[in-house]
Amino acid sequence: MSSQRNSEPETGKDSVKPFPRSRDAILEGLDYALQPITDIGTGVVYGYEAQLDNGDCEDAPTIDELLDDAYAEGFLPDLEASLFAKALSRFGKLRTAQGTKLFFRIDGRDLGLQADPRMHLTELVAAAGLQNNQVCIEFSERLQHSIADATQHAISDLRQMGFLVALDNFGRGSSELRLLHDVSPDYVKIGRFFLNGVDSDPRRNLFVTTVANLAHVLGARVIASGVETEREFKACRNIGCDLVQGSFVARPFHKAASAKLFYDHVREPGAGHKRRAEQDRIRNELLQLPTIGFGATMTELLDMVVHNQEGNVIPVLDENQEPRGLIHERDLKAYLYAGGKDDDTDTRIALDFPLRSFVRACPIADIDSNADMLLVTFASSINSDGIIITENFRYAGFLSATSLLKIIHEKRLQEAQDQNPLTRMPGNGAISRYISETARKGTHDRHLCYLDFDNFKPFNDTYGYRQGDRAIILFSELLQRHVSGSGTFHGHIGGDDFFAGFQNTDQTDVATRMLALKRAFRVDVESFYETGHRELGYIEAQDRFGTTRQFPLLQCSISILSLPRGMVIHPDTLNDEISELKLEAKRADDGIVVKKLVA
């Protein structure tokens, strides 16, 4: 159950009078809108958050005020159970893909006390024709102020019933790290406070990155909640968030007809050659361990252990084939062999013990994760046997520590073979593959940039090759700083020639970045000259014909070739266009030229 959000529902309601604050009046006056939560890579709808709407009247009490009144009057648990039924009813009317989830936020105060009706949600879920694993209970920042042993036991009981658990607005409270440890949520939602400017604020970016890494180590998925701009969205995707929610994706809606299966503008461009190769490495190393269902019996589990002696861990999946954790064989042995002399009695007690009690959290990552990020996730976990790998959130296999190290080793060898030895940037082979792939892929706008120094030979002759190498390294560092993020590529062709590529972005933005790079290089490289040469603004050296003349201080020329969406071109033709444009840039007064090919 959610407090009022910044985004307004798609269909407004007529103004209403302030609510009388009785249980029935509150229940009748409140209504739910549903906001999509999508896969951050594919745009496919993963679930919906039920968000409470209390009308448009200015003097209407806020959701939190109504909950406070309900708590003070003693009917908060009953109210929230009734609201849950209301949310289920609205969710049940949607045309959704199998396994789509409902995220329902509850206040959580006094959860599990005095025959709490919130502990009997299973009956309501069954009446709605749904499964418990389709419902995620969100706990807000209020929980940290009221959590007690009874509350923790209640949350554990809800998980035993098959419900998923999420921590909402993570990071706003002072003790939420303890909540993350104690509750072991399935999802961690990072709210608007930290996502506002995450693309431009290094501190916010570092916080979200740290939380995402920590959540993945603990086996939780990360939801970027409250994303409003494309830049914020791309930053969250680069950081490694799994799911995204907010006005950038879609606003909350009341009408069932507004539901979609996916959102095109969220869909990430197809993986490049390098990324596909890394996915293939991971896929080839996956262990296809026998799995068991979250609702299985101890007898079924023990039978599996007996007949599968090779593995020491068993992945546990729910009805939607999503992982819920691991069962370690050592835990089973410690439990089964802990009994006394009465073997029959101990055996019966052991078999009656719920299987779900043995499920441990395990690091989880998607198959399109960067191998280096997988290593960080694994290294940060304690006593982990490996990482559960998913594809589209469903179980794909188990990656052992040995296999992960093998993948990293192969990746390092490949990088060493395909990088410039001076700058450690992708070399000619990677650049050629990028150009070939760009030429034949017309699914979005593409921009190819060729960059090289002006008057580099006279500088080299005057100051020596060591200083020339320093200038090249300086430019490579500036290039990587100005060309970064999703949909970008940079490489070092050799000598003073560099390359950059952009996908699915605006030509104006590309030109702005290139101009900023050009200015930064012109300013920074001046420090490589002697004071006298800086004051004159030139050096005297021999040209290639042996004639002594004046040469301006180092700059770079930049040519930008843009290919519109839908255009496919032969790689050789594309290389010819780039070569011609390079010569034009050398002749241009400002050292930069832009050309857009016509489909």
Side-chain angles (χ1 to χ4, degrees), residues 434-446:
Y434 181 87
I435 292 175
S436 296
E437 190 171 309
T438 299
R440 65 172 181 266
K441 185 184 296 182
T443 54
H444 42 256
D445 293 338
R446 295 140 289 162

Side-chain angles (χ1 to χ4, degrees), residues 332-350:
L332 288 176
K333 289 180 178 178
Y335 175 71
L336 291 173
Y337 299 154
K341 298 180 179 180
D342 192 349
D343 293 337
D344 292 339
T345 301
D346 291 338
T347 300
R348 285 195 298 271
I349 295 174

Side-chain angles (χ1 to χ4, degrees), residues 115-255:
D116 190 340
R118 292 171 296 186
M119 300 306 298
H120 300 279
L121 302 181
T122 297
E123 292 86 342
L124 298 175
V125 173
L130 301 172
Q131 301 290 330
N132 286 359
N133 70 295
Q134 287 183 261
V135 177
C136 178
I137 307 296
E138 295 185 18
F139 293 97
S140 72
E141 65 277 4
R142 286 186 169 208
L143 183 64
Q144 64 181 301
H145 302 299
S146 60
I147 191 166
D149 289 341
T151 306
Q152 286 187 242
H153 285 304
I155 294 174
S156 178
D157 289 343
L158 288 171
R159 295 181 67 113
Q160 289 291 326
M161 296 174 197
F163 291 104
L164 300 160
V165 173
L167 287 184
D168 195 18
N169 279 328
F170 185 84
R172 295 299 301 272
S174 59
S175 60
E176 290 206 348
L177 279 177
R178 179 180 173 183
L179 273 180
L180 183 60
H181 173 271
D182 293 345
V183 175
S184 297
D186 301 283
Y187 307 90
V188 172
K189 298 186 77 172
I190 303 176
R192 181 65 195 157
F193 177 82
F194 291 105
L195 299 185
N196 183 17
V198 67
D199 55 303
S200 56
D201 186 333
R203 295 180 64 188
R204 278 183 162 86
N205 192 288
L206 176 62
F207 176 86
V208 176
T209 300
T210 303
V211 170
N213 291 341
L214 178 59
H216 289 149
V217 167
L218 298 176
R221 297 296 194 180
V222 179
I223 304 175
S225 176
V227 174
E228 295 183 357
T229 69
E230 183 177 8
R231 289 184 179 275
E232 292 170 356
F233 162 71
K234 288 182 176 180
C236 291
R237 188 169 63 190
N238 293 336
I239 285 169
C241 296
D242 305 291
L243 299 159
V244 60
Q245 171 188 6
S247 59
F248 171 76
V249 178
R251 293 184 177 276
F253 58 81
H254 288 103
K255 295 181 179 179

Side-chain angles (χ1 to χ4, degrees), residues 439-460:
R440 65 172 181 266
K441 185 184 296 182
T443 54
H444 42 256
D445 293 338
R446 295 140 289 162
H447 311 278
L448 308 179
C449 307
Y450 192 98
L451 314 96
D452 67 332
F453 298 175
D454 298 329
N455 308 313
F456 184 59
K457 184 180 183 302
F459 174 82
N460 240 355

Side-chain angles (χ1 to χ4, degrees), residues 79-93:
L79 173 65
E80 290 200 304
S82 299
L83 287 171
F84 179 64
K86 202 167 191 176
L88 283 174
S89 175
R90 185 168 290 280
F91 176 70
K93 296 176 182 177

